[in-house]
Amino acid sequence: MRLLRVELARMRMRRAVVLLVVACFAVPALVWMSTYWNTREVSQAEKDQAAVQLQRTLEDPQTQRPYERCLASPDKFGIAPGDDARTRCEDMLLPTIDSYLSRSPLSLEDEMVSSGPTVAVLLTLMLALIGTTFAGHDWNTGSLGNQLIFEPRRVRVWWAKALAVTIGGAAVGAASLLLYWGGLWLLANVRGIDVPHSVVADVTTHASRALLLAVGAALLAYALTMLFRNTVATLGVLFGINLLAPLLLSSSGINNAERWMPHVNFTAVLQGGTTYYNPDLSDCAGDICQESLSSTAALTYFAVALVVVVVVSVWSFRRRDVP
């Protein structure tokens, strides 16, 4: 515990880590501001302008001709004889004022598939940078050798740093997600939008999954940096995994290649499951080519990768010389 407190104090004193922590709050705040602006209430001036545009469109002969043909021959437009032809033709062929008011009201349920994944990805990136920066500083400055003079048990030192990254990342990530989703919930209440308890529960689950992914990324980045002893090498590996791996898998000819792509598994964990394109399915045609991927399978995918990297990193740190 004493060693853990020392590592947590060392983490707080790193200027690069402090800047990244600030970014963990600043970036979701910018996303929140964008959501606030894009879901703001429509003003009366905008409604009046939309009404003028609607009237011009309705008076346009190019709009009226299909509508008149529909009224004259409703059967050609798929309208049954017993239906109200005028109403059906208006619904199909004439615009409404909503067509000119593109903004949708705030919905936390919709945000879980729009801005929520964006916040989760950015937070994962920030915490991964914190993990690699924290370990990389010790290697770049050579201070790790001095630390081992006071605590020669290397495995204990490795795990103390790992726990500091995990605890610090979890605290920062939880606070960031709480402020973001809490801010959206507060905004919905200020605007008089009812948020059902079921949606609050879904948002909590979504945020918990985002936090799990972000903290796992921080620990993975830390373990890679302790293995490679270089921040740049870690960033290169993470860059290659996320950007080059999908390209290599797509061109490798491996069966069911998309199943192993990081972004597909990330989405499956975050959203509680997803579907992906698998042309290797028998009788593949149209939607049949879509295969389901559960969150449990995707979480296992990341857990296995994390365990392997951690084991190799601990083994390397224990066996190799430390300058």
Side-chain angles (χ1 to χ4, degrees):
M1 292 301 298
R2 183 180 61 84
L3 188 57
L4 175 59
R5 288 195 296 268
V6 170
E7 295 299 337
L8 288 171
R10 185 179 286 115
M11 177 181 289
R12 291 196 302 269
M13 290 186 292
R14 297 280 165 78
R15 284 179 292 181
V17 171
V18 171
L19 291 176
L20 288 169
V21 169
V22 172
C24 287
F25 293 95
V27 173
L30 292 175
V31 177
W32 185 92
M33 292 173 62
S34 175
T35 303
Y36 165 82
W37 182 255
N38 292 330
T39 60
R40 68 190 187 278
E41 295 182 2
V42 180
S43 65
Q44 187 59 45
E46 291 174 315
K47 292 179 180 179
D48 294 341
Q49 183 179 6
V52 172
Q53 292 176 331
L54 175 62
Q55 187 62 32
R56 290 176 181 174
T57 303
L58 293 177
E59 294 174 354
D60 189 342
Q62 293 184 354
T63 304
Q64 289 296 323
R65 290 193 196 100
Y67 174 65
E68 292 172 355
R69 287 198 298 269
C70 180
L71 292 178
S73 304
D75 56 310
K76 295 182 179 180
F77 288 81
I79 301 175
D83 294 344
D84 186 347
R86 181 174 297 276
T87 301
R88 291 292 306 279
C89 290
E90 289 178 356
D91 293 340
M92 287 190 299
L93 301 173
L94 295 183
T96 64
I97 194 170
D98 291 336
S99 305
Y100 298 92
L101 300 174
S102 58
R103 287 199 303 276
S104 301
L106 177 64
S107 170
L108 267 65
E109 192 171 9
D110 293 341
E111 295 304 320
M112 283 189 289
V113 295
S114 56
S115 66
T118 301
V119 172
V121 170
L122 294 174
L123 185 62
T124 300
L125 175 62
M126 293 299 134
L127 290 190
L129 289 175
I130 288 176
T132 187
T133 300
F134 176 62
H137 181 272
D138 287 341
W139 288 109
N140 293 335
T141 60
S143 63
L144 194 54
N146 295 330
Q147 296 171 32
L148 292 176
I149 295 175
F150 297 95
E151 177 51 78
R153 290 170 291 188
R154 294 191 179 190
V155 174
R156 177 172 293 194
V157 171
W158 195 101
W159 280 109
K161 293 179 179 294
L163 284 174
V165 169
T166 303
I167 293 172
V172 171
S176 176
L177 290 169
L178 179 62
L179 289 175
Y180 177 75
W181 288 107
L184 288 183
W185 177 84
L186 182 61
L187 180 62
N189 279 269
V190 169
R191 292 179 176 177
I193 300 174
D194 180 53
V195 181
H197 293 293
S198 59
V199 174
V200 174
D202 291 340
V203 167
T204 303
T205 302
H206 181 278
S208 300
R209 289 170 175 163
L211 179 61
L212 181 63
L213 288 167
V215 173
L219 182 58
L220 176 66
Y222 161 79
L224 285 172
T225 307
M226 294 296 286
L227 174 63
F228 297 126
R229 305 186 174 190
N230 190 283
T231 299
V232 176
T234 299
L235 294 177
V237 170
L238 293 177
F239 176 84
I241 290 174
N242 288 282
L243 295 182
L244 298 182
L247 297 177
L248 294 176
L249 286 171
S250 299
S251 59
S252 64
I254 298 175
N255 291 337
N256 199 16
E258 195 167 346
R259 160 67 178 88
W260 308 108
M261 295 184 182
H263 68 278
V264 174
N265 288 271
F266 187 96
T267 303
V269 174
L270 187 64
Q271 304 289 2
T274 188
T275 58
Y276 63 93
Y277 178 71
N278 183 10
D280 300 315
L281 292 174
S282 58
D283 299 329
C284 177
D287 293 338
I288 301 178
C289 295
Q290 297 294 321
E291 188 166 354
S292 298
L293 177 62
S294 67
S295 59
T296 302
L299 191 60
T300 303
Y301 167 90
F302 286 120
V304 170
L306 180 60
V307 169
V308 170
V309 172
V310 166
V311 170
V312 174
S313 180
V314 172
W315 176 85
S316 173
F317 184 66
R318 184 180 180 184
R319 302 284 296 182
R320 294 169 63 188
D321 292 335
V322 176

